[in-house]
Amino acid sequence: MGMLLPSWRRLLILPTSFRSQPRASLMKLIWLEDFLALLQAGTFSRAAAMRNITQPAFSRRIQMLEEWLGVQLIDRGSAGLRLTPLGERYTHEFRALLMQAQELRNRIQADQQGARRILIAAQHTLTITWLPGMLRLAQQHASGVELGVDSQDRGQSIARFAAGEASLLLCMEDDVPLEATLPHAQRLPLGVERIIAVSAVTAGGSPVHSLHASRSTRLLGYPAQSFMGAILYRHCLPPLMDRYDVRVVQESGFVAGIKEMALAGMGMAWLPERLIIRELKTGTLVRVGRELPEVEVPVSLYRMAPRGAASASATDQIWNLFEERAQQAAPPV
């Protein structure tokens, strides 16, 4: 496995790879896109629809990716979508490498067309909830600027921003705002994301999973070392553990995957409210007990503080646009 990531990097960034084996190289990129689409969709059927192919053909392409790598990425023995330890370990690297190839292509095209392009590093969940509205706002009011997106977990997004590889950072905040550890960065508060407890519903409309003193409650959780896991174990579970038997039955760092497992009735889960607005409106997910903790997590945009006097860079233009909208108390979501 030590050579796995360098071989992907060579595949993605060396032109000779495409010249020598163009069809094989492109197929491997397609398989990688399939795998990431599966993580986003949460199920094989939805991912196949997203990729506009049949489910058997989609499943076969995932298998071909696994055969090419020589490892199993999907744990097919578990209920719902679950990655193997190797799948979990390398998913973020796969995503980053594909993003590098796409970003290189976009920069070349933007440069050819004379457009100004900046990259925003965004926490995974926010690319589904907050970022689409921000991109629409930029498209409508920042002509001549293209906003590229690098979707990573929170730690990797922060690292890319701190290393100067991204001009903007969109993330949820911990108990202490990130600006405390990034002294040269400017913070723009955009609003809050509420994390609430939800469950699928029975035929009668009541939660499938709720808290009872007489039986254990199935919980869909997050790894303790992840951002969402820290919220869960720090703010949500402590008030419950002395009164109820709560059992974590599935665990994943992919919030969209936890949402799909909750919809499948596998357990209750704490999820970002904006991620499940549609499901709450349609009643496929319902709140579990108003007495359960809910957590308001600040959402912020960061940039490195500009040097010197007035600046007219593309980053400044986008920043000023979002700052004006935030001051109107109408976050671009």
Side-chain angles (χ1 to χ4, degrees):
M1 293 301 298
M3 295 299 294
L4 173 62
L5 297 180
S7 67
W8 267 107
R9 189 166 284 111
R10 288 195 299 272
L11 168 66
L12 291 174
I13 65 177
L14 291 181
T16 54
S17 297
F18 290 98
R19 287 199 297 267
S20 61
Q21 295 180 338
R23 181 174 298 179
S25 299
L26 289 175
M27 279 305 300
K28 294 178 179 67
L29 287 174
I30 291 172
W31 297 342
L32 182 55
E33 291 172 344
D34 289 337
F35 176 67
L36 297 179
L38 176 60
L39 300 185
Q40 179 182 349
T43 67
F44 277 82
S45 58
R46 293 187 183 186
M50 285 175 54
R51 301 292 285 166
N52 199 30
I53 61 174
T54 65
Q55 183 172 338
F58 180 84
S59 298
R60 177 55 186 157
R61 292 208 313 215
I62 297 296
Q63 291 174 352
M64 288 190 290
L65 172 63
E66 293 176 315
E67 291 170 1
W68 180 73
L69 293 172
V71 299
Q72 188 173 342
L73 300 174
I74 307 298
D75 182 0
R76 292 172 175 80
S78 66
L81 179 63
R82 187 180 182 91
L83 298 181
T84 64
L86 282 175
E88 289 273 7
R89 186 182 308 165
Y90 286 107
T91 289
H92 299 316
E93 294 287 347
F94 293 161
R95 195 184 306 274
L97 291 170
L98 185 58
M99 284 295 301
Q100 288 174 15
Q102 293 171 339
E103 179 62 20
L104 175 61
R105 174 179 177 271
N106 292 335
R107 287 205 313 269
I108 292 173
Q109 291 182 344
D111 187 55
Q112 182 184 32
Q113 299 167 5
R116 295 178 298 164
R117 181 175 177 83
I118 62 175
L119 182 66
I120 178 170
Q123 196 171 344
H124 283 312
T125 306
L126 298 181
T127 62
I128 305 173
T129 54
W130 288 72
L131 193 58
M134 298 176 70
L135 294 177
R136 287 193 297 269
L137 185 66
Q139 187 176 36
Q140 294 168 2
H141 300 285
S143 59
V145 177
E146 291 187 6
L147 193 58
V149 178
D150 179 22
S151 176
Q152 304 281 348
D153 66 22
R154 184 175 184 271
Q156 289 175 314
S157 294
I158 293 171
R160 290 211 66 182
F161 173 73
E165 298 174 1
S167 301
L168 297 171
L169 169 67
L170 178 66
C171 68
M172 290 188 277
E173 299 278 21
D174 208 335
D175 290 344
V176 178
L178 188 61
E179 61 185 339
T181 59
L182 293 173
H184 301 294
Q186 285 185 319
R187 175 180 177 239
L188 176 61
L190 297 179
V192 297
E193 181 69 75
R194 286 204 308 165
I195 312 299
I196 62 175
V198 297
S199 167
V201 296
T202 65
S206 60
V208 173
H209 303 279
S210 57
L211 294 170
H212 293 278
S214 60
R215 65 173 185 268
S216 63
T217 299
R218 295 170 59 89
L219 175 68
L220 304 172
Y222 307 96
Q225 70 274 15
S226 68
F227 179 78
M228 288 293 293
I231 291 176
L232 180 68
Y233 288 99
R234 188 182 306 158
H235 300 290
C236 302
L237 289 185
L240 308 180
M241 301 305 290
D242 292 337
R243 300 171 54 194
Y244 302 100
D245 178 19
V246 180
R247 184 162 57 95
V248 178
V249 294
Q250 295 284 349
E251 199 174 72
S252 174
F254 299 101
V255 181
I258 291 291
K259 169 187 169 182
E260 294 300 324
M261 287 189 276
L263 283 168
M266 297 176 62
M268 62 172 284
W270 266 271
L271 290 167
E273 188 175 31
R274 290 176 184 241
L275 182 66
I276 54 175
I277 287 178
R278 184 182 307 166
E279 288 75 16
L280 292 173
K281 288 181 177 179
T282 59
T284 52
L285 288 176
V286 294
R287 296 283 300 269
V288 178
R290 295 290 175 175
E291 77 280 5
L292 291 182
E294 64 178 43
V295 185
E296 289 194 346
V297 182
V299 176
S300 300
L301 186 70
Y302 283 89
R303 72 165 174 176
M304 289 301 176
R307 299 179 180 179
S311 175
S313 70
T315 301
D316 294 322
Q317 184 177 351
I318 292 294
W319 179 269
N320 294 337
L321 175 63
F322 293 152
E323 184 176 40
E324 179 182 355
R325 181 56 60 93
Q327 290 172 350
Q328 296 172 357
V333 295

